[in-house]
Amino acid sequence: MSVDLRIPHRPLLAGALLIIAAEFMFASMAAGIRHVSFVLPNELIVFLRNLIGVALLLPWLCRLGIRHLGTSVAHLHLVRSLAGLGAMYCFFYAIAHIALAEAMLLKMSAPLFMPFIALAWLGEPIPGRVLGAILLGFLGVALIVSPHPGEVNAVALIALLGGLLAALAKVTVRRLSRSEPTLRIVFYFAVVGTLVSSVPLLWAWRTPPASGLLWMLAIGAFATLGQLFLTRGLALAPAGRLGVFAYSSAVFGAAYGWFFWHETLLWSTAAGAVLVALAGLMASQVGKTDAVRVQPSAP
């Protein structure tokens, strides 16, 4: 697999295009997961997604040599990998049990948690305007999680937990991108994810049919390309300038859900989506050099 990730002459434009491409890949991956979830358990889907990711990256490792894996920040790779894997379990489960557009929207809750993680971990203050945007975003999330008074969608809460774990993973990715190349970050994520996700197979193993394996190959390809595009896009320009483009995943997810499963959005979900997107736009206008406030999502 050969992907040209060299730095272009217009980094902001290239970063935006890479983020949109990444979100399209993630939405395509989500549609594939929805389809294959009818025949495979979530634990096996997560494991195969990571295993295929490792397989797709092995040609790169063979070409560059094992010395390219050397790192002085192994602890950050571990934090990024475990947080990302936890988000993957939550997100994949949500995809199988709620509308695809709703799952994609709740995945977008990650930027709402990121300023608090950056405050606790990196000591970065939260400007008042950003805090206002976060509160607006959580109001939108509440409309999605609880569309009717007194009724809470438990699966939506699992997706929200995935957003929190994804936020931790993204803050770590930005830290890693200061010294680590894109492919190294993605490779360690795939390896750690494969090793850890193999443990639940002790009680959840099910021999996948041939069609399921073919779908998982496609899902692994979409996910790995999405990770590559996302990681490179984050390294090209400040995340605050790119965050708005991450919301394209909700559009792609809604289109897939409508076309293949005839899904429609509730008014509360649509209103929540508008509030979450508006919150992202507000936050992205604060501090053009901010590295972690609003970042695209990734499983």
Side-chain angles (χ1 to χ4, degrees):
M1 180 179 64
S2 177
V3 179
D4 187 359
L5 297 175
R6 292 174 296 179
I7 298 177
H9 296 297
R10 297 181 179 180
L12 183 58
L13 175 60
L17 292 176
L18 283 168
I19 296 303
I20 292 174
E23 296 304 328
F24 176 72
M25 292 296 171
F26 292 142
S28 301
M29 178 199 72
I33 291 169
R34 162 65 66 81
H35 178 79
V36 82
S37 66
F38 294 108
V39 296
L40 296 179
N42 189 48
E43 296 89 344
L44 183 56
I45 293 175
V46 172
F47 170 74
L48 291 175
R49 177 259 180 264
N50 285 287
L51 180 63
I52 292 170
V54 172
L56 291 172
L57 291 169
L58 282 179
W60 159 78
L61 179 61
C62 293
R63 180 169 59 88
L64 295 180
I66 197 170
R67 289 183 300 175
H68 195 71
L69 295 178
T71 179
S72 59
V73 287
H75 62 292
L76 292 180
H77 282 289
L78 183 61
V79 171
R80 181 268 186 274
S81 299
L82 293 178
L85 181 64
M88 190 182 300
Y89 275 113
C90 294
F91 181 47
F92 285 13
Y93 182 84
I95 287 172
H97 293 87
I98 59 177
L100 191 60
E102 189 175 343
M104 299 300 289
L105 286 169
L106 288 171
K107 183 172 69 77
M108 299 307 303
S109 65
L112 304 179
F113 296 107
M114 292 174 64
F116 299 106
I117 295 175
L119 174 65
W121 185 9
L122 308 178
E124 296 183 359
I126 305 176
R129 186 174 174 183
V130 171
L131 184 59
I134 292 170
L135 294 177
L136 183 64
F138 276 119
L139 176 60
V141 169
L143 287 173
I144 300 171
V145 172
S146 182
H148 306 291
E151 178 183 326
V152 177
N153 188 330
V155 178
L157 290 179
I158 293 176
L160 193 61
L161 173 61
L164 173 60
L165 292 171
L168 176 58
K170 291 181 182 68
V171 173
T172 314
V173 165
R174 189 63 186 183
R175 284 288 303 273
L176 284 167
S177 65
R178 298 175 185 174
S179 60
E180 302 291 277
T182 298
L183 286 171
R184 186 186 299 163
I185 296 173
V186 176
F187 183 80
Y188 275 119
F189 172 55
V191 170
V192 174
T194 300
L195 293 175
V196 176
S197 64
S198 66
V199 177
L201 297 184
L202 294 174
W203 60 83
W205 173 258
R206 182 186 304 173
T207 302
S211 60
L213 288 176
L214 290 176
W215 272 103
M216 288 308 306
L217 286 173
I219 289 168
F222 285 136
T224 301
L225 286 173
Q227 287 285 343
L228 291 171
F229 292 149
L230 172 65
T231 305
R232 190 58 187 140
L234 290 176
L236 283 177
R241 304 285 299 276
L242 297 176
V244 62
F245 300 103
Y247 295 95
S248 60
S249 64
V251 177
F252 295 136
Y256 274 127
W258 173 80
F259 187 81
F260 290 108
W261 296 282
H262 309 291
E263 296 174 349
T264 57
L265 294 180
L266 298 173
W267 74 266
S268 56
T269 302
V274 171
L275 291 179
V276 171
L278 182 60
L281 284 171
M282 291 172 57
S284 67
Q285 300 304 311
V286 181
K288 292 185 178 181
T289 60
D290 184 1
V292 296
R293 266 174 213 136
V294 179
Q295 294 191 30
S297 54

